[in-house]
Amino acid sequence: MSAFALLTRERLRKDPRPPGDVGDLITRSLSFSYGDVRAVADVSIDVPAGTVTALLGPSGCGKTTLLRLIAGLERPEAGSIHAGGETLSTPDRVRPPEKRRIGMVFQEGALFPHLSVAENVGFGLPRGPHRAETIEEALTLVGLSGMGQRSPTSLSGGQRQRVALARALAPGPEVLLLDEPFANLDPALRVELRTEVASLLRTLGITSVFVTHDQEEAFVMGAQVIVMRDGRVLQSATPSELYSRPANRWVATFVGEANVVPGQGGAEAADTVVGSVPLAEAAPATCEVLLRPEHLALDTGDAWEVEQLEFYGHDTLYVLRDDQGQKLMVRAAGAPRHVSGDRASVRYQGPPTVAFEA
Ligand code: ADP
Ligand code: MG
């Protein structure tokens, strides 16, 4: 077992929280406005204790506002927030942030530049005999053992976010809120950190809400993914459910690549431009059918023209068009087997899919 895993196990064993103190994080019909702007509208979410939920949505959809409500930084206009069986917020009563065991990590680590790394991590900790030990333990968890005396200004962006995470973890929060913590990092570092942090949060078993506008990041981080748009929750599901059974056309295209083509629905299949496609549930006569590009295959034929192709190494994305102007994306493993201008036929080879009301 790695030193890392040993440490986290040790930490869990020493955890002074009484049993039953840790519970689900729940919001019910939560609403909040900035003046005329309804930022959070009737939001009900359930974050099961000890698991990570990713909150996914485009910029401006209300993710940060929802986190601020959960943290107790804003007062709901309607609805309520509960954690571990206790009510934290209602329009009448808001338990202040410092009285909630909630840790936060922001997009910008928001470290105090004039304090050392250790002083930053220790900021919210009570004075006491175990303070230095707790700080070093938190730094070790995030892979910064022995760096306590450094100045935050001497660290890389990734290291600063690690310090911010250590600072949030040090007081032993019940709930951890992370607001696009990797958004300002370069892509390679982002991928590395998200894998590491996903594993750390799972090992620690901290109830966490991880905000992102990046679908891939949401899928890697969250056991559950909640999709938001315009202040509302559109769908809560596991990543695989979300991908295979998106609730509507918007979710389908926001979560991964999607062809959404007109179809004639039935009980078990729909008629589409690529022929009959199996359905997971019955669809209306006039509908729109979701065809994921990797569930389509190219065959010999002449119904479609290859307009464009992009080779990604592991696979190739073909953009096709038929004589009616319908566009289709097809993803096939390996190197290109066509050039643009080629003609081909397309067939569906995926699992039962979903259709939306047209
Ligand atoms: P996200 O984090 O998903 O990008 P936000 O929660 O920051 O979304 O914002 C939700 C909506 O509320 C947006 O329309 C945004 O412009 C608005 N908003 C956010 N903060 C403020 C504020 N302090 N004053 C007024 N409007 C705000
Ligand atoms: Mg935000």
Side-chain angles (χ1 to χ4, degrees):
M1 192 186 292
S2 70
F4 175 74
L6 271 173
L7 237 165
T8 52
R9 179 170 288 191
E10 181 70 4
R11 183 184 169 83
L12 287 171
R13 203 167 56 72
K14 281 196 307 200
D15 195 329
R17 282 175 284 190
D21 186 29
V22 184
D24 299 356
L25 169 68
I26 294 167
T27 77
R28 285 292 169 266
S29 304
L30 205 58
S31 293
F32 181 85
S33 303
Y34 298 100
D36 290 342
V37 179
R38 179 49 82 86
V40 167
D42 198 23
V43 165
S44 298
I45 67 171
D46 286 76
V47 182
T51 66
V52 182
T53 285
L55 200 57
L56 173 67
S59 178
C61 75
K63 305 181 296 296
T64 294
T65 307
L66 180 55
L67 285 200
R68 291 179 58 82
L69 284 159
I70 295 171
L73 297 166
E74 306 288 358
R75 175 183 296 266
E77 180 179 303
S80 58
I81 303 171
H82 315 265
E86 291 182 57
T87 300
L88 299 182
S89 293
T90 64
D92 302 325
R93 210 167 148 272
V94 174
R95 187 188 293 186
E98 65 277 11
K99 298 240 166 69
R100 304 177 177 211
R101 293 182 59 184
I102 290 184
M104 278 195 90
V105 181
F106 304 96
Q107 188 167 331
E108 302 279 357
L111 302 177
F112 301 110
H114 56 287
L115 298 182
S116 70
V117 163
E119 286 164 339
N120 267 283
V121 173
F123 193 76
L125 290 178
R127 306 265 153 210
H130 301 298
R131 190 180 151 87
E133 195 190 331
T134 306
I135 291 172
E136 186 51 32
E137 192 189 355
L139 283 172
T140 304
L141 279 178
V142 300
L144 292 181
S145 172
M147 293 183 62
Q149 294 324 304
R150 295 272 293 269
S151 160
T153 53
S154 74
L155 302 179
S156 70
Q159 288 173 325
R160 280 201 295 273
Q161 286 309 75
R162 288 171 192 265
V163 176
L165 180 60
R167 181 175 61 184
L169 289 173
E174 227 171 85
V175 172
L176 188 64
L177 307 175
L178 304 108
D179 194 355
E180 312 214 28
F182 312 140
N184 291 339
L185 305 177
D186 69 63
L189 187 57
R190 225 175 136 143
V191 167
E192 181 190 317
L193 255 186
R194 80 182 179 204
T195 304
E196 210 179 292
V197 171
S199 139
L200 175 60
L201 296 184
R202 273 195 278 274
T203 314
L204 290 176
I206 283 192
T207 312
S208 308
V209 182
F210 184 98
V211 162
T212 178
H213 61 266
D214 182 285
Q215 175 247 325
E216 209 176 272
E217 200 165 276
F219 278 28
V220 172
M221 297 300 305
Q224 170 183 238
V225 177
I226 296 179
V227 180
M228 281 184 76
R229 185 191 189 193
D230 293 340
R232 293 185 181 278
V233 170
L234 298 186
Q235 192 169 5
S236 308
T238 64
S240 71
E241 280 167 357
L242 201 57
Y243 191 75
S244 60
R245 308 272 174 95
N248 58 41
R249 184 193 173 116
W250 190 87
V251 174
T253 51
F254 189 67
V255 173
E257 286 175 336
N259 299 291
V260 181
V261 302
Q264 281 189 307
E268 285 170 0
D271 253 339
T272 72
V273 72
V274 297
S276 178
V277 172
L279 292 177
E281 50 206 60
T286 309
C287 62
E288 293 184 308
V289 184
L290 169 64
L291 309 172
R292 294 286 184 198
E294 70 277 18
H295 294 155
L296 296 171
L298 296 178
D299 269 337
T300 46
D302 63 359
W304 297 86
E305 180 179 333
V306 178
E307 262 195 0
Q308 200 186 321
L309 44 86
E310 289 169 0
F311 178 47
Y312 293 112
H314 40 77
D315 65 1
T316 300
L317 177 71
Y318 300 89
V319 179
L320 307 153
R321 201 176 289 270
D322 71 4
D323 296 339
Q324 278 72 53
Q326 172 72 50
K327 193 180 130 185
L328 214 52
M329 291 180 287
V330 176
R331 250 181 205 281
R337 279 171 287 119
H338 292 276
V339 294
S340 61
D342 274 5
R343 295 197 73 93
S345 70
V346 178
R347 76 189 147 79
Y348 187 79
Q349 58 168 17
T353 186
V354 291
F356 315 115
E357 214 150 306

